[in-house]
Amino acid sequence: MHHPFQIIPKLPAIDLEKTRLYFETQLQFETGSRYPGYLIMEKGTAELHFFSFADLDPLTNYAQVYIRLENGIDELYQDYLRRGVAIHPNGPLEDKPWSMREFSVLDPNNTLLTFGQEI
């Protein structure tokens, strides 16, 4: 029997409103739902869930999310650059030896978001 899966990360957020604004204005996600202490951001079929964690130390937050695109990574990267999205210093758009074209950003909680597309 085939059971389709959709895996949705649940990530810590120091400030849910700052997180929401970053994902909406910078990364062009839409606010899916908001609850006390909880936030859901959506883009296409992707969802990221955030829970309030005011005591999170961004310098010790090692959360990472890999967001795989079917196509359009070059356009997305250029759009983010035009919007002034801060690209991770070690994560500009480039082809990787593991046959992926990738770039990375850090959200306000220091969560590493890597966008990748198969070469």
Side-chain angles (χ1 to χ4, degrees):
M1 182 174 249
H2 182 258
H3 298 286
F5 278 61
Q6 182 182 14
I7 297 172
I8 300 169
K10 295 169 76 173
L11 303 163
I14 299 163
D15 181 319
L16 289 174
E17 186 60 13
K18 279 185 182 169
T19 300
R20 185 188 70 77
L21 286 172
Y22 174 80
F23 276 87
E24 250 187 27
T25 64
Q26 295 286 295
L27 302 187
Q28 301 297 291
F29 277 65
E30 294 178 2
T31 301
S33 301
R34 293 164 79 176
Y35 306 98
Y38 205 81
L39 169 68
I40 298 172
M41 299 303 296
E42 303 171 342
K43 187 175 179 87
T45 59
E47 279 184 34
L48 296 175
H49 292 204
F50 297 91
F51 59 93
S52 182
F53 187 8
D55 294 334
L56 176 70
D57 176 359
L59 298 179
T60 60
N61 178 16
Y62 299 108
Q64 300 181 32
V65 177
Y66 196 95
I67 301 168
R68 187 183 296 255
L69 287 79
E70 292 287 322
N71 55 55
I73 196 161
D74 291 274
E75 295 81 3
L76 182 67
Y77 185 71
Q78 290 305 318
D79 181 54
Y80 284 178
L81 288 178
R82 275 192 301 278
R83 294 178 179 290
V85 174
I87 304 301
H88 190 285
N90 299 324
L93 183 64
E94 60 185 7
D95 294 345
K96 300 293 187 178
W98 44 91
S99 300
M100 296 297 289
R101 186 159 174 75
E102 299 177 352
F103 72 93
S104 298
V105 302
L106 288 171
D107 83 357
N109 309 294
N110 223 38
T111 297
L112 182 70
L113 305 166
T114 300
F115 294 84
Q117 176 183 314
E118 201 169 338
I119 298 171

